[in-house]
Amino acid sequence: MAATPREGSDYRLRAREIPVGAQMLFVAFGALVLVPLLTGLNPNVALFCAGCGTLLYQLLTKGRIPIFLGSSFAFIAPIMFCVKTYGIAATTGALAAVGVVYAAVALVIHLRGPAFLTRLLPTIVTGPVIMVIGLILAPVGVAMAMGKTGDGAAVLFPERTAMLVSFFSLAVTVAVAIYGRGMLRLVPILCGIGAGYLLSLSLGMVDFSAVAAAPWFAVPSFTAPSFSIDAMVVIVPVAIAPIIEHFGGILAIGQVTGRNYLENPGVDRSLLGDGVATALAGFLGGPPLTTYAEVTGAVALTKIYNPALMTWAALTALCLAFIGKLGALLQSIPTPVMGGIMLLLFGAIMVVGLNSLVLAGADLMEPRNMVIVALIIVLGMGRMAFSLGGLHLEGIGLAGVAGVLLNLLLPLPRKKE
């Protein structure tokens, strides 16, 4: 039975809703800036891209969906690899290409309907890919939690001190996620980072010299992209998972507001909006964007369904992007604080993939399913590399492509009589 539309879903800018809209950014803030802090991108640029991207999304979806676009966690592993291997410019060029892929898929959905996507990218492919994204990052989180750089090559803080800070940050995050009430429960990452930062400050681990030197007002440090085929073949295949997640995000906000956004304005328009926003972020040097479930939770909690709330959130993000000291302050967070959060975050990403297989009722002992899941995980976790001419696939990228091909080529199991 279709849900009954609820009041308050029409787009109207009301000044009295500015604080509620700003609160939506507060809900998204921890996750939004966490991605650039982990990957070496600029947090002020990420704020700017989230603000601009959300406004573009609203324009392309006719201002009908109360969704906020923030930094996507799915791309953390390939971004970290590509920044280290090919540089930031080539990485952001590949991220811009991800936006083009979103737009291309949106066009196909417009022409053929959304059913083809579930046939091309079923849960038996996307679930293991999401699991690999989380698992492949585990060593990075552990190294940072122990006071080392992400690759474990250098020691930044004494191990005992680092682990005290990292596990305290982790404990606060877990406690807020489980025991928090109301709006507090929607910001466990922000609470964990704040608590860990205060502890590390008391232990003398924070260097404020960059904060003191930073100006109050500064244009974000945008980075022009370059285009590398090698970087693209690492990053672009990862788009498989976020495209599927986008459907889930639209369904979730539709259930909250009682409206069918898959039909009006249409999932093709929604994915196109996400694609254009992600392409813009890539051209400016920011992380790719995705719908934020925590903001959807905040909409459900406040019961204010006006999409204009996200306009105020986006405008608040744009304003904060030009505060130079904010970016410097965020970059002063010690690595053990981030490491503690990452221990939970990367494990949670893996659980999301696993849960999707459970909810789909996938029989992993069925030979076809076993082959697909096993090869995706082993190829991804083993960092298998494959080169043919100018094409190079490795790790998550190879795992994603292999999963799609196996799903298309392997025969479906015979139905039992």
Side-chain angles (χ1 to χ4, degrees), residues 113-144:
F116 97 97
L117 193 59
T118 56
R119 293 194 296 269
L120 181 66
L121 301 173
T123 305
I124 201 66
V125 173
T126 58
V129 169
I130 295 171
M131 291 171 66
V132 169
I133 290 171
L135 290 170
I136 205 169
L137 287 165
V140 177
V142 170
M144 293 177 66

Side-chain angles (χ1 to χ4, degrees), residues 412-417:
L412 294 171
R414 293 179 180 177
K415 293 183 178 180
K416 296 180 180 180
E417 298 294 338

Side-chain angles (χ1 to χ4, degrees), residues 205-226:
M205 299 170 64
V206 182
D207 180 7
F208 284 113
S209 58
V211 180
W216 279 102
F217 175 84
V219 176
S221 300
F222 299 117
T223 301
S226 63

Side-chain angles (χ1 to χ4, degrees), residues 142-148 155-169 199-200 203 205 336-337:
V142 170
M144 293 177 66
M146 296 177 68
K148 302 176 183 178
V155 176
L156 303 176
F157 300 97
E159 184 175 305
R160 288 187 179 181
T161 305
M163 293 187 69
L164 171 65
V165 171
S166 61
F167 279 102
F168 179 72
S169 303
L199 178 58
S200 59
L203 295 174
M205 299 170 64
V337 176

Side-chain angles (χ1 to χ4, degrees), residues 13 99 124 183 197 227 355 375 409:
L13 280 173
I124 201 66
M183 192 63 68
Y197 191 82
F227 298 97
N355 188 56
L375 289 179
L409 297 176

